[in-house]
Amino acid sequence: MAVSGIGPYDPQNIFAKILRGEIPCNKVYEDDWVLAFHDIGPKAPSHILVIPKGAYVSFADFSAKASAEEIVGFSRALGAIARELGLEEDGYRVIMNVGPNSGQEVPHYHAHLLGGGPLGALIGGPGAARAGAG
Ligand code: 5GP
């Protein structure tokens, strides 16, 4: 079944291949629930991708279908990674792109953890230009 406009889960997506060890990643953290690694095209001094080990296409899919254990495991890991990387004191941003309007590229749920310096405006692009117009 299609989920959040990006189709059913595709086990050949790039993050599924990283989870299976078929493609390398620069790992920063792993536990029973998540794998976290550096984004290949960082948008901030520190840009980490945190992904669940389960097969979910997006936050919409994960929040609707994951078990309570998976959701808690993911949440706790995300906070712990930020803390362990020293991002907590100066602050950080978490972004989850869902579906076409967000520009989600990889159809395996992931949170972007961004920090290490000032992050600027919350969003940019055409949506931001229209915001506040009416
Ligand atoms: P999205 O637009 O789906 O929210 O973000 C996907 C992110 O995955 C992008 O920031 C992109 O740079 C990153 N990415 C895409 N392919 C790879 C890869 O093979 N390895 C790593 N580490 N990051 C990737």
Side-chain angles (χ1 to χ4, degrees), residues 28-121:
V28 296
Y29 179 90
E30 182 170 14
D31 66 17
D32 288 349
W33 307 110
V34 312
L35 176 68
F37 50 90
H38 288 273
D39 193 294
I40 205 168
K43 308 291 190 300
S46 182
H47 185 171
I48 307 299
L49 297 169
V50 184
I51 73 174
K53 291 195 167 173
Y56 301 98
V57 299
S58 68
F59 171 74
D61 192 21
F62 184 76
S63 62
K65 296 188 193 149
S67 67
E69 273 186 317
E70 287 176 290
I71 291 171
V72 170
F74 188 87
S75 229
R76 290 238 194 268
L78 186 49
I81 293 162
R83 209 157 37 244
E84 283 173 20
L85 293 177
L87 302 178
E88 209 171 78
E89 188 172 340
D90 290 333
Y92 58 87
R93 182 174 292 155
V94 176
I95 294 174
M96 298 148 181
N97 288 322
V98 180
N101 276 352
S102 74
Q104 181 182 357
E105 290 172 10
V106 180
H108 181 110
Y109 172 44
H110 51 281
H112 297 256
L113 171 60
L114 300 144
L119 296 167

